[in-house]
Amino acid sequence: MASTQPAPDGTVPVATELLIRFRRLLGDDGVLAAEDELIVYECDGYVVEKKAPDVVLFPTTTEQVSEIVRTCNEFDVPFVPRGAGTSLAGGCLPVGGGVMISLTRMKSILEVNLQDRYAVVQPGLVNLHLTRHLAGTGFHYAPDPSSQGACTIGGNVATNSGGPHTLKYGVTVNHVLGLEVVMPDGQVVEFGGVAEGLAGYDLVGLFVGSEGTFGICTQVTVRLTRDPDAYRTLLGIFETVGDATQAISQIIAAGIVPAALEMMDQGIIEAVEAAYGFGFPLDAAAVVLIEVDGLEVAVDDEAERIIRLCQEQGAREVRRAETEQQRALLWKCRKQAFGAIGRLSPSYCTQDGVVPRTKLPEILEFITDAGERHGVRIVNVFHAGDGNIHPILLFDERDEEQIARVFRASDEILGKCIDLGGSVTGEHGIGVEKLEFMERLFTEDDLDVMASVRMAFNPRGSCSPGKMLPTAGACGMEHIERSHPGKQAAS
Amino acid sequence: MPDNTGEMVPATIPELGRWLAANAKGDRRPVLPVGGRTSLGFGMPADPASVEVATSRLDRVVDYPARDMTVTVEAGCRVSAIQEALKMEGQRLPVDVPLAHRATIGGAVASDAGGPRRFGFGTLRDYVIGIRCATVDGRLFKAGGRVVKNVAGYDLCKLMVGSGGSLAFVTEVTLKLKPLPTSSAMGWACFDSGDTVSDLLGDLSTSRARPVAIELLGPKAARQLTAESRQALPVGPLLLGVAVEGNPVEVEWQVDVLDRELRAGGATDVTWARDADTKKLWSSLTDYQLGGESPVSIRACLRPSRTVDFVVAAIDAGVAVQAHAGNGVIHGHLPDDTIDATTAEEIIGPLRELAAKSGGQLVVERCESGWHDALSIWGPPRGDWPLMTSVKRQFDPDGLLSPGRGIEAAMQQLSDDGMDQQ
């Protein structure tokens, strides 16, 4: 198990002089360096691998971020940006220690322009705060990760976050028009802008999802989307997981693209019901939350078609959210399902595989088998319409033997996703957790090309080293290695 | 081997890879990837010493799991052929590609082809979920995959869309698909003044109807569209088109709503085309950007709310203009009597300034041969151009792929001119 031991040889200590410089730049209030305070930053939502940074900085301006980066380069210290730390793959783990740049104090909404359908925000803005700010305008920001009450727009940009409604509306990259980025050499560069279709390479599209390895975004211009004219929210209740996944496949195959199509199995329903008391049937094997949106004249018809398809697949019952309160509670249950897991287990590890949508029945069967084979309890709550599974493996982090079994089950599940023509991550990112899968998904040539693209942005490899690609970084950063690679530590 | 026209037409992707590798080690001739030849006029002209490498034989549909709503095709597939195959399953790629019967999907991706429906459905960058390419030295690589949601590795799909064949040779793409609507309608309305249209466009952005395209045409473009589509469209100083798609109930309801809104917004004449009658209009609207015989074609992009100002200024300058008004993307064709580059520059200069002031830019998409050096093709450099040049260098350090055609060439030109102080 990884722990917060003193940094082993080979990591980079932050010199006293560096600390003085940072304090001068940010004030005492903007610098955290005491060991007990740093523990908070030793991991994100991926708790099995930990490493505290040597210092955490809280800049409030782009200029400060740029100055921090220049100073890090001067002292040859690696740096990593961090939003709210909700990543589930170790995306903001400070591999090799060094400086963590927390963007949570850069959280302003700088401009909202409904006429041109964009908003300019700082990266530390919490996703839900933008949603709330826009409420009543008739427009919204479409990506709605389940962690939207905590996660930041900058973090969403880094991981190309999804969310339940991305089935119809697309993921973060489909909603980012422009970025201001502090490059790994400290230069401030603008990509894209308020106009769409600018000539040249789509550096915005490339940057989104680069997991902090191409620079630090300090300003984001996001596209705003019209609120739907109307929606209907349904809950399909199924006797077996197989029936539920077949129904999902049938809905997609019928050419219906609902706004959201989410599944929860019995294990998670039990926890969610205990936490929120929605009235889920505890004896159902699975429930499917389906939302259709569109014109008022069309949504009832679409809802009826979906209800029929569910019934044809043996749904016990399909309920409708009759009031806005019911709908809100239903969505709260879904989005805060992770918060209820504490009722089931002290720790958990969420996987993020993707399969072609028609392979859902097969992968869910495999997950059940894998859980049984390894003696690991697994519950499921996921974006079924996209084929994006989130098996949640429950364990006790104090028991190393259990962790080893969790890793083996996870590996098999993700391996099966690859075999079925899918991917090991739909929205959480590679981070450090899935690095070793990169060589299974991609060839050496694929990875070489990706590494060469990183060279264009981050030639020294000092920005977010050890992420995304299995090679540590670039020239000069060979000394940075993960002090406690999770899997080795646990097996 | 290249045939006697100097063109190389590989039968398979590995063959393409081997040829590129041999070229990189041997003759090191510049390479120009070629699809349906519909966009080769973009940007700067190709190096005449280039070997054209055509994708015409790489035209297999690799995999079409219709129930997953994705399709994987080789780069040389004609866009119309792909759409036909998708139609059989009630699906489509909702991106308008000019000259879809000739254009290949590889070329469409490389040139980021798009048209009116970008308002409702976005652009190719929103649909390419997986890509395979060959580097200029013949290494075959991929990014993305065949599933609709995937964040493993850098999103090189985005990088390749619109890269103009300057980074790598696109060999295969996987696309996300949408259901084919069963009904469509297109309404055309005439307006006397730009201010009236501007106000109406503002109102349309909160209409309960959800148009998939909002087009604004000047009189020259309107006349050409009328002739091309053989539809009787209203005649007036400004012609606004709105299109809706969906099932028949949705379409009729929206036609009612929009018809009322267009008339209330000051339209002097409104006509509607439905279903089969819209087909020719869609293709004419999509192909209009290519510009026919015009000596110079330009493309501006700017804040959507500034579209009408730009359109009016362009009309005043004698430019035939079509705007994807909901997106702020505008195509213009300079008049036939633009006799030389200097005359063209006199028209383009003020429009370029207006585009820049409106948060965007203007590029010259096509011009008469020999005018390229006198006209600034890409306009003034933007802050991210040096980085684009670095990306190009990583893929193609010796500048063998589509050399001299893109922004990196403009950067090179600037530094040669000693203007690049960075």
Side-chain angles (χ1 to χ4, degrees), chain B residues 32-320:
Chain B
L32 181 69
V34 171
R37 299 175 169 278
T38 57
S39 301
L40 289 180
F42 278 6
M44 298 295 283
D47 182 337
S50 301
V51 184
E52 294 189 355
V53 181
T55 54
S56 42
R57 292 168 73 189
L58 306 175
D59 60 353
R60 285 185 317 134
V61 174
V62 178
D63 190 20
Y64 179 24
R67 290 164 60 92
D68 291 325
M69 296 188 78
T70 63
V71 68
T72 300
V73 290
E74 287 184 345
C77 284
R78 306 282 158 182
V79 173
S80 61
I82 298 171
Q83 297 286 26
E84 282 304 315
L86 303 179
K87 196 174 166 186
M88 310 277 279
E89 300 288 347
Q91 297 175 356
R92 68 169 170 175
L93 171 68
V95 175
D96 304 303
V97 176
L99 300 183
H101 288 86
R102 276 174 56 198
T104 61
I105 189 67
V109 166
S111 58
D112 189 16
R117 266 178 279 233
R118 66 187 297 149
F119 184 66
F121 297 99
T123 55
L124 274 168
R125 88 195 273 271
D126 301 309
Y127 294 91
V128 179
I129 56 173
I131 203 155
R132 285 176 184 269
C133 303
T135 59
V136 72
D137 57 2
R139 285 172 300 148
L140 305 179
F141 71 91
K142 68 169 179 300
R146 293 189 185 178
V147 282
V148 295
K149 208 167 163 194
N150 186 2
V151 293
Y154 295 128
D155 193 349
L156 305 183
C157 304
K158 300 287 180 298
L159 186 59
M160 292 303 153
V161 173
S163 64
S166 66
L167 294 178
F169 197 115
V170 176
T171 59
E172 183 188 295
V173 293
T174 300
L175 302 160
K176 182 169 136 170
L177 304 172
K178 292 271 188 189
L180 190 67
T182 49
S183 182
S184 69
M186 205 183 272
W188 290 98
C190 263
F191 293 86
D192 288 332
S193 88
D195 289 346
T196 317
V197 181
S198 218
D199 291 347
L200 176 71
L201 286 175
D203 293 346
L204 276 184
S205 74
T206 54
S207 169
R208 280 190 70 194
R210 302 300 160 98
V212 296
I214 303 177
E215 298 284 293
L216 183 62
L217 308 179
K220 282 187 190 174
R223 272 199 303 278
Q224 285 161 1
L225 179 72
T226 305
E228 185 68 27
S229 65
R230 290 182 223 102
Q231 296 271 333
L233 303 179
V235 181
L238 286 164
L239 186 61
L240 181 74
V242 289
V244 291
E245 294 181 326
N247 64 37
V249 176
E250 289 171 305
V251 167
E252 284 315 309
W253 185 84
Q254 294 186 88
V255 167
D256 269 3
V257 170
L258 288 168
D259 191 75
R260 267 198 311 274
E261 289 175 347
L262 290 170
R263 290 176 198 280
T268 53
D269 194 1
V270 184
T271 61
W272 287 90
R274 283 185 174 72
D275 299 322
D277 289 340
T278 63
K279 207 175 162 207
K280 192 70 191 153
L281 282 165
W282 279 117
S283 62
S284 304
L285 279 172
T286 302
D287 295 348
Y288 187 74
Q289 56 186 284
L290 296 180
E293 301 300 305
S294 171
V296 181
S297 297
I298 56 172
R299 192 176 83 111
C301 53
L302 32 85
R303 288 168 182 272
S305 62
R306 305 302 306 274
T307 303
V308 179
D309 285 353
F310 186 94
V311 165
V312 169
I315 293 171
D316 288 348
V319 177

Side-chain angles (χ1 to χ4, degrees), chain A residues 415-430:
Chain A
K416 185 71 178 176
C417 289
I418 297 175
D419 296 344
L420 291 173
S423 172
V424 296
T425 175
E427 55 182 9
H428 298 170
I430 294 295

Side-chain angles (χ1 to χ4, degrees), chain B residues 328-344:
Chain B
V329 174
I330 300 152
H331 298 284
H333 306 299
L334 269 55
D336 294 346
D337 59 3
T338 309
I339 47 167
D340 53 23
T342 315
T343 323

Side-chain angles (χ1 to χ4, degrees), chain A residues 22-61:
Chain A
F22 287 143
R23 289 209 167 95
R24 205 183 301 142
L25 179 70
L26 305 170
D28 286 351
D29 178 45
V31 179
L32 274 190
E35 208 173 319
D36 56 336
E37 294 174 318
L38 294 174
I39 290 175
V40 177
Y41 298 90
E42 68 180 1
C43 67
D44 52 25
Y46 177 64
V47 297
V48 292
E49 187 165 343
K50 291 173 180 169
K51 165 79 186 150
D54 294 293
V55 60
V56 184
L57 305 178
F58 297 89
T60 55
T61 66

Side-chain angles (χ1 to χ4, degrees), chain A residues 111 113-118 137 139 159-164 166-171 173-176 183 187 189-206 208-211 213-214 223 226-229 246 249-250 252-253 255-257 294-298 301-302 352 354-359 383 385-388 390 421-430 438 441-443 445-446 448-457 467-469, chain B residues 65-70 89-91 112 118-119 122-123 125-127 132 135 138-167 176-180 198 201-211 214 245 247 249-251 253-254 299-306 325-329 355 358-363 378 382-395 406-408 422:
Chain A
E111 185 190 354
N113 185 326
L114 298 180
Q115 219 184 357
D116 290 324
R117 296 184 308 276
Y118 70 84
T137 63
F139 290 83
T159 51
N160 192 14
S161 304
T166 56
L167 171 59
K168 181 166 179 177
Y169 292 97
V171 290
V173 71
N174 307 111
H175 301 274
V176 177
M183 296 296 294
Q187 269 197 74
V189 180
E190 278 180 36
F191 303 162
V194 296
E196 65 169 73
L198 294 166
Y201 305 140
D202 180 8
L203 299 183
V204 172
L206 181 62
V208 175
S210 62
E211 298 193 18
T213 62
F214 285 175
R223 186 195 299 281
R226 289 287 305 281
D227 293 347
D229 184 50
Q246 285 297 349
S249 283
Q250 292 299 333
I252 298 287
I256 303 172
V257 182
L295 299 172
E296 182 65 49
V297 290
D301 187 47
E302 197 155 278
D352 181 36
V354 195
V355 293
R357 312 181 240 220
T358 48
K359 307 285 189 200
H383 311 306
D386 288 319
N388 186 189
H390 286 335
S423 172
V424 296
T425 175
E427 55 182 9
H428 298 170
I430 294 295
M438 289 296 278
L441 272 174
F442 294 107
T443 66
D445 281 340
D446 301 339
D448 279 353
V449 169
M450 289 184 193
S452 73
V453 172
R454 183 175 59 188
M455 281 296 287
F457 285 79
K467 302 285 168 57
M468 183 66 99
L469 298 179
Chain B
R67 290 164 60 92
D68 291 325
M69 296 188 78
T70 63
E89 300 288 347
Q91 297 175 356
D112 189 16
R118 66 187 297 149
F119 184 66
T123 55
R125 88 195 273 271
D126 301 309
Y127 294 91
R132 285 176 184 269
T135 59
R139 285 172 300 148
L140 305 179
F141 71 91
K142 68 169 179 300
R146 293 189 185 178
V147 282
V148 295
K149 208 167 163 194
N150 186 2
V151 293
Y154 295 128
D155 193 349
L156 305 183
C157 304
K158 300 287 180 298
L159 186 59
M160 292 303 153
V161 173
S163 64
S166 66
L167 294 178
K176 182 169 136 170
L177 304 172
K178 292 271 188 189
L180 190 67
S198 218
L201 286 175
D203 293 346
L204 276 184
S205 74
T206 54
S207 169
R208 280 190 70 194
R210 302 300 160 98
I214 303 177
E245 294 181 326
N247 64 37
V249 176
E250 289 171 305
V251 167
W253 185 84
Q254 294 186 88
R299 192 176 83 111
C301 53
L302 32 85
R303 288 168 182 272
S305 62
R306 305 302 306 274
N327 302 82
V329 174
S358 310
Q361 71 177 173
L362 181 152
V363 299
W378 302 108
R382 293 176 63 90
D384 53 1
W385 284 18
L387 194 56
M388 290 183 192
T389 309
S390 309
V391 171
K392 164 76 176 172
R393 241 180 248 130
Q394 288 294 332
F395 277 90
I407 274 169
E408 78 290 343
Q422 296 201 14

Side-chain angles (χ1 to χ4, degrees), chain A residues 19-236:
Chain A
L19 270 181
I20 294 168
R21 294 263 290 267
F22 287 143
R23 289 209 167 95
R24 205 183 301 142
L25 179 70
L26 305 170
D28 286 351
D29 178 45
V31 179
L32 274 190
E35 208 173 319
D36 56 336
E37 294 174 318
L38 294 174
I39 290 175
V40 177
Y41 298 90
E42 68 180 1
C43 67
D44 52 25
Y46 177 64
V47 297
V48 292
E49 187 165 343
K50 291 173 180 169
K51 165 79 186 150
D54 294 293
V55 60
V56 184
L57 305 178
F58 297 89
T60 55
T61 66
T62 300
E63 293 69 35
Q64 286 177 349
V65 175
S66 168
E67 191 53 38
I68 291 167
V69 167
R70 287 178 202 274
T71 309
C72 287
N73 287 334
E74 189 186 324
F75 286 79
D76 201 18
V77 171
F79 50 94
V80 59
R82 187 183 203 264
T86 58
S87 160
L88 293 161
C92 41
L93 188 80
V95 176
V99 173
M100 177 176 279
I101 304 173
S102 168
L103 295 149
T104 49
R105 289 187 192 168
M106 294 177 67
K107 57 182 180 188
S108 301
I109 297 171
L110 302 172
E111 185 190 354
V112 172
N113 185 326
L114 298 180
Q115 219 184 357
D116 290 324
R117 296 184 308 276
Y118 70 84
V120 183
V121 306
Q122 289 188 315
L125 178 71
V126 170
N127 177 297
L128 188 65
H129 294 180
L130 181 57
T131 306
R132 289 206 180 124
H133 186 83
L134 293 166
T137 63
F139 290 83
H140 67 285
Y141 174 60
D144 62 336
S146 296
S147 58
Q148 71 185 139
C151 67
T152 63
I153 301 286
N156 296 167
V157 166
T159 51
N160 192 14
S161 304
H165 286 87
T166 56
L167 171 59
K168 181 166 179 177
Y169 292 97
V171 290
T172 300
V173 71
N174 307 111
H175 301 274
V176 177
L177 287 166
L179 296 166
E180 176 192 82
V181 174
V182 173
M183 296 296 294
D185 65 359
Q187 269 197 74
V188 181
V189 180
E190 278 180 36
F191 303 162
V194 296
E196 65 169 73
L198 294 166
Y201 305 140
D202 180 8
L203 299 183
V204 172
L206 181 62
F207 189 94
V208 175
S210 62
E211 298 193 18
T213 62
F214 285 175
I216 300 174
C217 100
T218 46
Q219 200 168 294
V220 191
T221 304
V222 298
R223 186 195 299 281
L224 302 180
T225 303
R226 289 287 305 281
D227 293 347
D229 184 50
Y231 42 76
R232 297 289 183 270
T233 309
L234 308 170
L235 185 71

